[in-house]
Amino acid sequence: FVFFFSLQVEQVKLLDRFSSNTTKSSGTLYLTATHLIFIDSSPGSQNEIWILHHHIAVVEKLALTATGCPLVIHCKNFRVVHFVIPKERDCHDIYNSLLQLSRPVTHTELYAFSYNPKKNERERELGWKLVDLTEEYKHMGVPNENWQLSDVNRGYKICDTYPSDLYVPRTATKPIIVGSSKFRSKGRFPVLSYYHKEKQAAICRCSQPLSGFSARCLEDEHMLQAISKANPNNRYMYVMDTRPKLNAMANRAAGKGYENEDHYYNIRFQFVGIENIHVMRASLQKLMEVIGTKALSVNDYFSGLESSGWLRHIKAVLDAGIFLTKAVACEGASVLVHCSDGWDRTAQVCSIGSLLLDPYYRTMKGFMVLIEKDWISFGHKFSDRCGQVDGDPKEISPVFTQFLDCVWQLTEQFPRAFEFNEGFLIHVHDHIHSCQFGNFLGNCQKQRELLNLPPPLYLYCPFLLTTLQKLKTKTKPSGACSLFCSAYLSFEQTHWITNCTSHHLLKCLHECCSYNHLHLNTNPSYGQEILTRSIFKKLKKFRGEPLDLSHNSPKQVLYQRSSSPVLKAPNCKGEHILLPVSDNIRTVEGSTNGDGFHEYPAAFVKVEPTVVSLELGVARMTC
Amino acid sequence: AILASRCELYGGFPCRDSGAVACGKRWPLPVVSPRWLGSLHAPEENLVCLPPRSAFVISPRFLRRLRMEKSASCDSLSSKPSSSRQPSVDSLSSATTSRSERSVYAKSVSAMSSDSVSTSTDNFSPELRVLREANKLAEMEEPPLLPGESIKDMAKDVTYICPFTGPIRGTLTVTNYKLYFKSMERDPPFVLDAPLGVINRVEKIGGASSRGENPYGLEIVCKDIKNLRFAHKQEGHTRRSIFENLMKFAFPVSNNLPLFAYEYSETFPENGWKLYDPISEYKRQGLPNESWRITKINERYELCDTYPAILVVPANILDEELKKIAAFRSRSRIPVLSWIHPESQATITRCSQPMVGVSGRRSKDDEKYLQSIMDANAQSHKLFIFDARPSVNAVANKAKGGGYESEDAYQNAELVFLDIHNIHVMRESLRKLKEIVYPDIEESHWLSNLESTHWLEHIKLILAGALRIADKVESGKTSTVIHCSDGWDRTAQLTSLAMLMLDSYYRTIRGFEVMIEKEWLCFGHRFQLRVGHGDKNHADADRSPVFLQFIDCVWQMTRQFPNAFEFNEFFLITILDHLYSCLFGTFLLNSEQLRMKEDLPKRTISLWSYINNQIEDFTNPLYVNCFNHVLYPVASMRHLELWVAYYIRWNPRMRPQEPVHQRYKELLAKRTELQKRVEELQKEVSNRSIPTSSDKVSSPVHSATPVQTAV
C-alpha cells in the first residue's frame, strides 16, 4: 500500500463505549485516501483501527466538551467508534473530509478501482472465472430435455436487469417469452433459478404481473404452463407471492398485482407476507437503537428486541424458504417465486430454498455460487441497497444482511450442515459494503458491463479463498501457536467480548472480528491439525526431502473437510443420508489404521441431510 | 442396562435410535408453523410428527432383537423355573460392569429381557397376571425395570393427552420408581417415562359423570417444567388405584416409605461416595499453610450441625474462640475458607449473617476473626464482605436478630450488597417461566413474556455477583467473605460460581463433582427442603429452584466459554434430572450430618458412580485444559439466553434435529485419534532429533504444548 496521509491528528482519544473503564486509549488518527486509521500510541498497545471510508454510514460531530471535540462514526458493519479530538478545527476538517470521502458520487471512485493487491493478470482472470454459472447450471442438471439455455436476453434486449444467459422451459418459444416479459414488471419474466434433479422440480423467479384488476396475458399464462409441464412428476405448480396480501392488493391499483388463479392453469397461489424494504430498514434502525450505545443499562432489552420486529422478519423469510423447500422436496412441485420487482424478497426466498435443498450450497464455494447466481446475476441492486454511491436513501435496505442473518440462524440450528462458520458470513457482509472487489459493485449485470469491470477489478471470491487458505496454511509452529493461544486468551479478556457487542442476533456482524477466533468454536481438531502439520514439516526438514504425506495421514482427512471445495468442486450433491446413527457408535479407537481413515471422511466430512428442514419457534431463534 | 434406562429417563436425549428416526430414515422432516400445513395439502406420511423429547423411540430392528431375546430368555426360564430370577439379575449386572460391551442394544435388551423374567415370577398380583396373559399388547407395553424396582400398578386403555401430538392410547404402569406409559398404537411405539421423584403434585380431573372428550383422568404436575395428563375410562375404575399408588410411591416420605434410592441395587465399578475427600481437596489448594489450618472441631457436628466435619480456619484462631464466634453467626455458621488463590493467597470464605439485631450487637471475637482472615493475605489490607441480599432485605433481617456487618465495627472491611432476591422470588419466577414455556409458546410475545418472568435477570444478578467476587480475588488480590441470610442458598451459588471462574480444576468433570459435594452438599444446602424429595406438601414455602439456578449459571458460562469446560450440556441436564429422580443418594437430605446419620454412602448409590462410569457421554469435545485461566463471563442481559435445551426440552419443536451427542461422540473420537497421531509423530521427531542437537529435542514438545492447549 502507498499511504497518502491527507490528514494526521495526534493525541486523539478513543472512547470505549462499553466498558465504564475510564482509561481511554489515545493515539494518532490518520486519514488516507481509502481508510481512516487510528493507531494507539500508548506503549505496549497494538491497538489499531482501520475503517474503510465506504464502511462509514454516519459521522456525527457532538457538542464540544472540555477534553475536546467528540466525533462518532457509525459503520455499515455495525461498528461504532467514538473519538475525541483535542482541537475543534481538526475535528471539523476530519468531519468534512469524511463526509466527502464516505459518499462517492460515481462508481469509479470506489475502492475497488484503486485496490491493487499486486497480482498478475493471469491470477486475476482466474478469479473472474472461478465461479462459472454455466458450469453451475450444468452441475444442477440443466440444460436437459425439459429446460434449455435461451439467448433471448443476449445484449439485454428483453430485460436489462437479468443476466444474458437464462434458462427457460424448452416448450417456451421466443414469442411466449417476449409476450410474458411485457406482462411482467421491469420485463422480468419467469426463469429458472434452481433445478432439483431428483424430483425434476424447478424453482423459478420473476417479478409481479401487470395484471391490475382484470388484465391477462395469454403468453404469460402459456409461460407458466410451460414451467409446470417441464416437471413431468407434478401437474400443478405453486406461485408464491412473497409480499403480504395487502401490499399485493395495493399494487393492483397501480396496474400491477398478482396472478389470478382462475386465469392460470393448475397453479396454487400463496402469499407469504415478507415486508418490504422500507419496513426492513426501519426495523434494523430500531434494532440498532435497542442494542445501541446506551442500551447496556437498559433492562427491557427483550421487549425492545421484540418490538424492533427484526426476528419476526427473519422468521418470515425463513418460513417462506421452508415452504418452498417443502413444496419441492416433499411434493415435487415446481415453484414460481416473485415479489414486486423480483430482486429483493425473491432473491432471499430462492436462495434460502436452494440452501435448504442442496448441501452443495452449504459449502464455501457453493455459497459463493449461490450469491453469484441468485443475487448478483439476477440483479439484486447491491449498489442501491448498500448505498455504495451517493443516491436515494430510500433505496437503502438491509435485504442482504437479512439473508446472511437467516443463514446464520440456520448454522446455529444445524451446526454440522455448513462448511463455513459465522466468520465467513461476517466477512461477506463486510465486503458487501467495502466495495473492495468487483463482485458487488453496480446493480445488475448490464451495469457492471458498462462499468467495464472485468479488466481492472479484483473479485471477491478468490480473495476470500486465498485469505482462508492463508489462514489454514499458517503452519509455522510458532506462528500457529501464537495465533491460537492469543485467540484462546481473548476469552479471558472481558473487553474483547464487550467490545464486540457480540450479543445481538447479528452478533457476528458487529465487529471486524479477527480471523483468529474463527475456528475456535467450531473446529476442535484444528489445533491438532496444525500441530500435525508442523510436525510433518519438521520431519521433512530432518529428512531433507519432500515428505510423502501418505493418504492415511490425518492431515489429508482434515483437508478434505476444510478446503476441498476450494480446490475442486465438491461432488456432494445428491442423496446424503445422515450418518447411520442406529448403528453402533463408530468404533473410532481402532480406526487409526489406513482403512479407518478411508472410511472416516465419508462419514465425517459429508454428513449433511439433503434437505435441511427446521423448526422455527421464536424461542429457538437465538438473539 | 444403564444406557437403556438412561435413554428412557432422560427423554431419549442420548438415544441413538431416536436420532436415526429423526434425521436419517424419516427424511425429510418438514416441521413448520402449522399455518402452512393446510395450504400445502401435504400427504399425511410426509408430515413427520416428532415425538416429544420424553419419548424413547424404539426402532423396528430393536424390537426384532428384543423379541428374539425374549423368546430365548423364556426358553431358559422354562428349563430352570426355580432359579429364574437369580440368573437374570446376574446377567444384568455383568452387562453393566463389562465396559468392553458397548452395544446399546445388547444392554437394553438384557434389561428388557431380565425384567420380563423377573416380573413374571413374583411382582404381579394374580389379576395383573391374568390381564397380562390375556393381552399381548399389554405385554409389549410393560416397562423395563431397574434392579430393585417392581411394578406396583398397571392400567391399560389409558389415554395420554400429549400437548404436542394429541391423545395416545396405551398402558400406564406405576412402579416404585417411575411412571411409565407405552403405546404400541404408534410406530415407533410411544414411550413416556418419568421418575416418580419429579412429581410435584397429582390431581384428579373430572368426575364419573363428566362429559366431553377425555374429561376424566389425572393431571400430574412435575418439577422439571412439564405436566402430564392422562385420561381414564370412567367405567374401568383404573383411575382410583393409579391415583392411590401414585400418591403412595411418589411421596414416600409422607407415607413413611423409603425413597427408591435406598432400594436401587445397581453396581458400578467406581464408588462415587469416595470421590470427595475434604483433606485431599484442601491439600490440592495448598492447605493447611502457615496462615490457615484444618480444624476438626466440628467432627461431631457440635459446633454447627449444618457444616461439614472438616473446616479450614485462620491459623491463629483457637478452637475455643471459634465457639464464641459461632454464637454470633446465624445457625453457628462461622466464616470458613472455601477457596484460596494459589499465588496471591486471597481467599473466598463463606458464612451466615451476623446476629447484629436491632440493637447493633458487636462481637469482638468475630471482628478479630475477620481481621485475621484479612491478615492471612499479605497482598491486601482490605477485606470485602459480600452480602448476597438486597440491602432492604438485609436491614429487614435486623428485626429478626440478624443483619449485616457494619463498616464501623469491622476495620478495613467494605460491605457490598449483591441484590440477589430470596428463594420465594426465585420460585415465583420459575413458576412464571413454566407458564410461558409449557406446553405452548406464544410466538408473537415470546421475548416480552420471557422478560416478564425476570428469570434471566436473576441469573444475571447471580452471575454478576460471582463475577465481582472473582474479580476482587483475582485482580484485587483481596480476600472476600460471602454470606446471605443463612449462608446455604445464595452463598453457595456465589462461592461455587466464583470458584468455577477462578479455578480450572472445577471445570473438569471430576472437579465439578467435587465442587458440588463441597460447596453444596457438605456446606449444607438444604436439598431435601428445597426440592421436597418424596414430600407431598407441594406448596411448601421452603421449596425453591436455587440449585437449578446455579446450574443455569454454569450453562450460561459454558455458552460463553465453549472450550473451557470438560463437561457438556448433557452432564448438567443429567445432574438436574437426578436432583429430582431420587434414584441416587447424592442429593438426599439436608446436611452432611444427616447423611452420615442415615449412612447414605452405604445404603444408596452416588450419582457420581453412575456419571463417572460413562464419562465419555458427558465430555465436551471442544474442551481445552488451560490451567490458571480465569474466566470472566459477561453478565449482561444480551449475553444471556434461556436454556432452551432444558426448559423447553419436552417440546419436540424445540429439539434440534441433529442429535448433538452424536456429533460430540464423533468429535471426541476425532480428537483422540489426532492426539494419538500427534504423539506418534512427536516420538518420531524426537527420535530423529537426538543425533542432531540437544536443543531440538525439546523444541517439538515445546511447540506442541501451547497448540494443544489451544485446541
Side-chain angles (χ1 to χ4, degrees):
Chain A
F1 292 113
V2 184
F3 294 119
F4 299 102
F5 294 126
S6 49
L7 243 167
Q8 178 178 345
V9 185
E10 284 175 18
Q11 303 254 299
V12 174
K13 285 200 177 73
L14 174 71
L15 297 187
D16 187 345
R17 67 194 174 112
F18 290 109
S19 73
S20 50
N21 209 336
T22 43
T23 52
K24 306 157 191 166
S25 43
S26 91
T28 314
L29 200 65
Y30 301 92
L31 196 65
T32 74
T34 54
H35 286 83
L36 180 75
I37 305 165
F38 173 82
I39 294 173
D40 199 335
S41 58
S42 50
S45 161
Q46 306 236 313
N47 194 6
E48 277 182 32
I49 295 176
W50 288 54
I51 298 169
L52 196 66
H53 295 327
H54 299 311
H55 270 152
I56 295 173
V58 182
V59 192
E60 269 180 288
K61 212 170 67 170
L62 304 182
L64 195 68
T65 64
T67 45
C69 194
L71 187 73
V72 184
I73 299 171
H74 296 265
C75 297
K76 287 171 183 167
N77 55 355
F78 311 118
R79 182 183 199 157
V80 180
V81 203
H82 196 145
F83 294 115
V84 178
I85 297 163
K87 285 187 198 139
E88 197 189 1
R89 208 188 139 73
D90 288 337
C91 183
H92 193 71
D93 283 351
I94 289 183
Y95 177 73
N96 281 339
S97 324
L98 282 181
L99 272 192
Q100 232 168 19
L101 286 167
S102 63
R103 296 216 184 112
V105 182
T106 64
H107 276 100
T108 43
E109 287 174 49
L110 294 175
Y111 184 36
F113 290 87
S114 58
Y115 175 63
N116 184 1
K118 298 220 167 53
K119 281 199 183 150
N120 62 34
E121 204 61 27
R122 209 178 60 80
E123 279 176 279
R124 192 156 60 187
E125 262 167 35
L126 273 182
W128 278 98
K129 282 183 185 146
L130 196 92
V131 174
D132 181 357
L133 285 185
T134 322
E135 274 304 307
E136 296 304 331
Y137 277 103
K138 247 184 219 155
H139 203 59
M140 226 186 261
V142 286
N144 59 16
E145 70 272 17
N146 291 321
W147 292 87
Q148 64 175 359
L149 177 65
S150 160
D151 57 357
V152 287
N153 204 30
R154 286 279 148 82
Y156 310 103
K157 272 181 288 190
I158 295 184
C159 171
D160 55 0
T161 56
Y162 264 178
S164 55
D165 290 350
L166 291 169
Y167 293 82
V168 293
R170 241 172 232 286
T171 49
T173 57
K174 200 166 174 181
I176 291 183
I177 295 173
V178 174
S180 167
S181 85
K182 290 205 172 116
F183 188 64
R184 294 273 167 183
S185 163
K186 307 265 189 333
R188 293 168 71 93
F189 58 95
V191 291
L192 182 81
S193 163
Y194 176 74
Y195 181 74
H196 196 273
K197 224 192 266 180
E198 197 191 320
K199 299 266 179 188
Q200 296 182 288
I203 300 176
C204 296
R205 54 186 290 168
C206 61
S207 62
Q208 62 183 340
L210 303 173
S211 57
F213 287 102
S214 58
R216 57 188 288 189
C217 166
L218 277 181
E219 285 92 344
D220 194 55
E221 286 159 27
H222 282 301
M223 186 73 195
L224 261 65
Q225 204 175 346
I227 292 173
S228 163
K229 284 212 173 119
N231 178 358
N233 298 331
N234 217 324
R235 280 285 140 227
Y236 60 91
M237 69 182 283
Y238 284 99
V239 176
M240 278 171 82
D241 191 329
T242 53
R243 298 168 292 185
K245 191 170 182 186
L246 209 68
N247 298 20
M249 306 271 262
N251 261 303
R252 274 165 80 169
K256 297 164 191 170
Y258 54 91
E259 289 84 354
N260 185 336
E261 254 179 302
D262 300 337
H263 297 167
Y264 291 87
Y265 175 74
N266 256 348
I267 66 161
R268 293 182 182 179
F269 188 82
Q270 177 75 42
F271 288 110
V272 291
I274 304 172
E275 299 286 350
N276 63 24
I277 57 167
H278 311 294
V279 176
M280 301 307 183
R281 185 178 52 238
S283 170
L284 184 66
Q285 190 67 40
K286 272 190 214 150
L287 180 71
M288 287 302 139
E289 275 162 27
V290 172
I291 57 141
T293 32
K294 48 196 183 307
L296 268 187
S297 57
V298 170
N299 276 331
D300 40 14
Y301 171 63
F302 280 136
S303 13
L305 196 61
E306 186 174 286
S307 69
S308 79
W310 182 255
L311 281 177
R312 191 159 44 82
H313 298 312
I314 298 289
K315 179 170 152 57
V317 176
L318 280 171
D319 273 341
I322 293 165
F323 177 82
L324 180 67
T325 310
K326 280 173 75 180
V328 173
C330 308
E331 293 180 67
S334 293
V335 187
L336 177 68
V337 184
H338 72 76
C339 49
S340 294
D341 289 321
W343 51 44
D344 292 320
R345 288 167 272 194
T346 306
Q348 286 177 334
V349 173
C350 287
S351 47
I352 291 288
S354 312
L355 202 66
L356 293 177
L357 281 166
D358 195 335
Y360 170 62
Y361 296 120
R362 294 174 225 143
T363 64
M364 256 185 246
K365 162 110 194 251
F367 192 69
M368 292 176 208
V369 169
L370 188 70
I371 294 175
E372 281 284 340
K373 173 170 79 77
D374 273 329
W375 293 85
I376 297 173
S377 82
F378 277 113
H380 172 69
K381 306 204 285 176
F382 277 107
S383 209
D384 287 355
R385 296 287 177 260
C386 303
Q388 287 171 349
V389 288
D390 208 11
D392 185 0
K394 284 228 166 84
E395 283 286 311
I396 297 175
S397 185
V399 176
F400 193 78
T401 307
Q402 258 184 336
F403 165 67
L404 290 180
D405 195 340
C406 291
V407 177
W408 183 78
Q409 300 284 356
L410 291 175
T411 60
E412 285 286 290
Q413 287 200 28
F414 299 92
R416 293 212 299 182
F418 292 85
E419 190 194 26
F420 46 84
N421 55 24
E422 71 175 19
F424 177 83
L425 297 174
I426 301 172
H427 204 272
V428 173
H429 184 260
D430 278 355
H431 284 291
I432 296 298
H433 298 282
S434 74
C435 307
Q436 188 174 353
F437 302 98
N439 299 53
F440 304 117
L441 300 193
N443 282 330
C444 58
Q445 208 81 309
K446 188 182 174 188
Q447 197 184 2
R448 269 185 285 272
E449 274 176 31
L450 289 176
L451 285 173
N452 201 12
L453 293 184
L457 292 187
Y458 290 93
L459 271 193
Y460 180 53
C461 303
F463 166 78
L464 188 59
L465 292 184
T466 46
T467 22
L468 294 175
Q469 199 70 2
K470 229 189 275 166
L471 177 81
K472 279 175 182 163
T473 49
K474 262 192 185 165
T475 53
K476 271 186 292 176
S478 59
C481 293
S482 61
L483 182 77
F484 279 90
C485 285
S486 68
Y488 185 73
L489 285 175
S490 63
F491 275 135
E492 253 190 280
Q493 301 158 350
T494 340
H495 73 256
W496 178 78
I497 299 172
T498 38
N499 255 357
C500 78
T501 68
S502 59
H503 225 278
H504 69 127
L505 66 153
L506 316 158
K507 60 180 168 193
C508 43
L509 297 180
H510 253 236
E511 190 87 0
C512 317
C513 309
S514 63
Y515 269 116
N516 289 2
H517 60 273
L518 286 194
H519 288 261
L520 213 65
N521 295 343
T522 44
N523 197 345
S525 41
Y526 192 59
Q528 255 113 346
E529 180 195 0
I530 286 185
L531 180 63
T532 325
R533 260 187 279 165
S534 73
I535 291 175
F536 265 122
K537 266 209 158 167
K538 235 173 237 160
L539 279 174
K540 204 162 132 188
K541 213 168 72 193
F542 286 127
R543 282 182 188 156
E545 63 191 46
L547 186 77
D548 178 34
L549 299 173
S550 50
H551 57 264
N552 65 349
S553 77
K555 179 190 166 187
Q556 195 92 2
V557 178
L558 280 157
Y559 266 44
Q560 282 200 6
R561 177 197 171 99
S562 51
S563 53
S564 71
V566 177
L567 305 171
K568 58 179 200 298
N571 49 352
C572 53
K573 275 188 118 181
E575 189 87 18
H576 282 290
I577 300 173
L578 203 70
L579 246 178
V581 256
S582 56
D583 272 342
N584 291 345
I585 317 123
R586 212 157 267 281
T587 43
V588 269
E589 282 82 7
S591 64
T592 32
N593 57 13
D595 288 338
F597 269 101
H598 279 305
E599 178 192 71
Y600 218 86
F604 207 74
V605 180
K606 303 212 167 61
V607 278
E608 308 134 332
T610 325
V611 172
V612 174
S613 60
L614 68 163
E615 179 54 39
L616 271 179
V618 259
R620 262 227 91 78
M621 299 196 46
T622 327
C623 32
Chain B
I2 313 163
L3 277 172
S5 61
R6 178 168 54 83
C7 289
E8 284 143 12
L9 285 177
Y10 312 113
F13 176 71
C15 167
R16 282 134 201 111
D17 276 85
S18 70
V21 172
C23 298
K25 291 171 190 161
R26 282 297 181 97
W27 170 88
L29 276 183
V31 197
V32 219
S33 314
R35 61 193 158 116
W36 296 124
L37 301 183
S39 57
L40 250 169
H41 310 294
E44 195 75 39
E45 61 269 24
N46 277 339
L47 296 175
V48 179
C49 298
L50 290 173
R53 272 197 139 187
S54 56
F56 170 43
V57 190
I58 299 177
S59 74
R61 186 178 149 202
F62 175 85
L63 278 177
R64 219 167 30 245
R65 293 189 60 165
L66 176 69
R67 268 178 227 128
M68 278 161 58
E69 198 75 21
K70 225 173 196 174
S71 58
S73 61
C74 285
D75 287 347
S76 68
L77 176 70
S78 57
S79 62
K80 268 200 283 176
S82 57
S83 60
S84 63
R85 187 164 185 191
Q86 208 47 45
S88 73
V89 172
D90 276 352
S91 75
L92 179 68
S93 54
S94 72
T96 55
T97 45
S98 77
R99 299 293 297 147
S100 58
E101 173 87 73
R102 295 288 300 126
S103 162
V104 187
Y105 304 109
K107 287 189 173 182
S108 32
V109 163
S110 69
M112 297 286 250
S113 62
S114 72
D115 84 66
S116 73
V117 176
S118 60
T119 52
S120 63
T121 50
D122 48 15
N123 288 330
F124 275 105
S125 64
E127 303 92 280
L128 281 177
R129 201 174 300 146
V130 172
L131 172 86
R132 195 164 164 272
E133 274 154 19
N135 192 349
K136 279 270 174 247
L137 201 68
E139 191 182 330
M140 297 283 282
E141 291 176 348
E142 266 166 34
L145 296 182
L146 294 169
E149 190 179 358
S150 58
I151 291 178
K152 298 297 178 194
D153 197 4
M154 199 179 220
K156 59 170 191 164
D157 265 351
V158 176
T159 310
Y160 168 56
I161 300 166
C162 175
F164 310 109
T165 59
I168 310 160
R169 246 166 47 134
T171 308
L172 178 68
T173 314
V174 177
T175 75
N176 53 350
Y177 169 63
K178 66 171 174 269
L179 178 86
Y180 187 86
F181 174 84
K182 187 169 175 186
S183 167
M184 300 301 289
E185 260 178 21
R186 296 219 176 142
D187 185 37
F190 178 91
V191 173
L192 183 128
D193 185 333
L196 294 179
V198 304
I199 295 178
N200 203 20
R201 65 172 196 267
V202 186
E203 273 169 21
K204 288 182 188 166
I205 290 175
S209 57
S210 299
R211 306 227 158 256
E213 205 180 336
N214 299 320
Y216 177 77
L218 291 174
E219 169 104 23
I220 298 166
V221 180
C222 297
K223 293 170 186 168
D224 56 352
I225 328 286
K226 71 172 176 223
N227 295 336
L228 304 172
R229 183 143 178 226
F230 294 99
H232 291 256
K233 287 217 165 117
Q234 271 133 323
E235 60 269 22
H237 301 295
T238 53
R239 184 177 82 166
R240 192 169 145 205
S241 81
I242 288 277
F243 178 77
E244 277 166 5
N245 276 304
L246 273 180
M247 289 306 280
K248 190 169 160 197
F249 293 103
F251 307 115
V253 172
S254 307
N255 295 304
N256 288 323
L257 288 168
L259 285 163
F260 182 71
Y262 297 107
E263 287 165 32
Y264 181 49
S265 56
E266 186 74 272
T267 49
F268 291 99
E270 188 191 324
N271 184 359
W273 287 111
K274 299 219 164 77
L275 177 97
Y276 172 60
D277 171 31
I279 298 286
S280 58
E281 163 60 16
Y282 287 122
K283 203 169 163 195
R284 186 191 69 83
Q285 295 184 17
L287 296 167
N289 60 16
E290 68 273 14
S291 27
W292 293 91
R293 69 184 177 98
I294 290 175
T295 172
K296 293 196 170 166
I297 183 177
N298 202 29
E299 207 167 19
R300 291 162 187 280
Y301 308 102
E302 279 160 354
L303 179 76
C304 169
D305 56 354
T306 56
Y307 260 7
I310 290 166
L311 298 170
V312 177
V313 293
N316 61 338
I317 303 289
L318 302 171
D319 281 355
E320 283 312 304
E321 290 173 90
L322 290 178
K323 284 178 189 156
K324 284 185 204 154
I325 296 154
F328 187 63
R329 290 279 167 179
S330 163
R331 311 208 187 233
S332 310
R333 294 170 69 93
I334 56 167
V336 290
L337 180 136
S338 269
W339 190 78
I340 182 162
H341 195 286
E343 280 149 28
S344 69
Q345 307 286 304
T347 52
I348 296 178
T349 45
R350 57 182 291 171
C351 57
S352 62
Q353 63 183 344
M355 301 306 282
V356 176
V358 202
S359 55
R361 267 191 303 274
R362 288 177 61 167
S363 158
K364 278 273 169 272
D365 295 295
D366 195 62
E367 284 157 30
K368 181 188 163 202
Y369 188 79
L370 291 197
Q371 183 67 36
S372 46
I373 288 177
M374 187 171 77
D375 293 343
N377 168 20
Q379 304 264 357
S380 170
H381 299 290
K382 253 191 129 156
L383 181 73
F384 273 92
I385 302 172
F386 288 97
D387 191 327
R389 303 165 290 185
S391 55
V392 187
N393 298 22
V395 172
N397 259 298
K398 280 191 173 177
K400 295 184 222 154
Y404 51 91
E405 293 85 353
S406 79
E407 283 177 22
D408 301 335
Y410 296 85
Q411 297 280 308
N412 301 321
E414 193 175 324
L415 183 71
V416 181
F417 291 105
L418 293 177
D419 288 334
I420 301 168
H421 285 279
N422 62 23
I423 57 167
H424 312 292
V425 176
M426 302 306 182
R427 184 179 56 236
E428 185 58 14
S429 174
L430 184 67
R431 189 191 61 75
K432 279 191 199 151
L433 184 68
K434 183 175 177 179
E435 244 167 43
I436 69 159
V437 300
Y438 193 91
D440 295 315
I441 293 167
E442 196 196 339
E443 300 254 324
S444 53
H445 295 112
W446 164 246
L447 290 170
S448 42
N449 283 344
L450 180 61
E451 189 175 288
S452 68
T453 67
H454 298 291
W455 181 257
L456 285 178
E457 218 176 300
H458 297 312
I459 298 286
K460 181 190 123 179
L461 283 171
I462 297 168
L463 266 177
L467 189 66
R468 285 180 79 167
I469 296 164
D471 183 55
K472 279 285 168 284
V473 171
E474 175 67 27
S475 325
K477 297 188 170 133
T478 315
S479 292
T480 53
V481 173
I482 295 135
H483 69 76
C484 46
S485 296
D486 289 321
W488 50 44
D489 293 319
R490 287 165 275 193
T491 304
Q493 288 175 337
L494 289 169
T495 54
S496 47
L497 284 171
M499 284 156 66
L500 204 61
M501 290 168 197
L502 290 164
D503 191 339
S504 62
Y505 169 70
Y506 298 120
R507 293 174 226 141
T508 63
I509 290 181
R510 279 170 178 275
F512 192 75
E513 291 165 358
V514 164
M515 190 172 75
I516 290 181
E517 282 282 342
K518 176 172 176 298
E519 287 303 303
W520 289 86
L521 293 158
C522 290
F523 277 105
H525 174 69
R526 309 212 286 171
F527 279 102
Q528 174 66 42
L529 271 180
R530 296 287 176 258
V531 180
H533 295 302
D535 185 358
K536 70 177 176 189
N537 185 10
H538 59 83
D540 190 354
D542 272 325
R543 292 199 186 175
S544 188
V546 175
F547 188 71
L548 167 65
Q549 269 185 325
F550 160 67
I551 296 285
D552 195 332
C553 291
V554 175
W555 180 81
Q556 304 284 357
M557 281 175 71
T558 64
R559 287 286 294 185
Q560 289 188 28
F561 303 96
N563 306 39
F565 293 86
E566 194 193 359
F567 46 83
N568 58 26
E569 185 177 48
F570 181 52
F571 175 74
L572 299 177
I573 294 180
T574 305
I575 290 178
L576 284 179
D577 280 336
H578 285 295
L579 171 67
Y580 305 123
S581 77
C582 299
L583 183 62
F584 299 103
T586 302
F587 294 116
L588 302 186
L589 303 179
N590 284 328
S591 66
E592 188 182 287
Q593 184 198 17
L594 293 171
R595 267 174 224 119
M596 290 301 137
K597 213 170 119 195
E598 289 285 320
D599 206 11
L600 278 190
K602 290 270 154 52
R603 295 173 61 204
T604 66
I605 290 160
S606 165
L607 171 61
W608 318 130
S609 316
Y610 161 73
I611 283 181
N612 294 347
N613 191 36
Q614 46 196 55
I615 215 152
E616 63 272 30
D617 286 330
F618 304 106
T619 310
N620 171 15
L622 306 175
Y623 173 62
V624 178
N625 187 7
C626 275
F627 297 109
N628 302 330
H629 270 228
V630 179
L631 307 181
Y632 292 123
V634 182
S636 127
M637 214 52 185
R638 67 196 58 196
H639 287 260
L640 300 182
E641 286 174 37
L642 185 72
W643 188 6
V644 168
Y646 181 74
Y647 298 110
I648 325 186
R649 62 178 159 155
W650 310 115
N651 191 333
R653 293 165 161 274
M654 290 300 131
R655 188 170 60 168
Q657 280 177 10
E658 289 191 335
V660 182
H661 63 278
Q662 181 66 27
R663 188 159 66 109
Y664 280 172
K665 277 256 156 70
E666 283 170 11
L667 288 174
L668 269 180
K670 191 89 197 157
R671 194 177 146 138
T672 3
E673 191 182 289
L674 280 166
Q675 244 151 10
K676 218 177 219 174
R677 184 82 187 149
V678 163
E679 274 160 29
E680 274 169 33
L681 288 169
Q682 266 169 357
K683 224 178 264 167
E684 201 179 333
V685 167
S686 55
N687 285 345
R688 276 160 195 276
S689 58
I690 288 164
T692 50
S693 73
S694 58
D695 61 344
K696 282 215 169 111
V697 182
S698 62
S699 69
V701 183
H702 198 75
S703 75
T705 352
V707 175
Q708 262 179 329
T709 51
V711 173

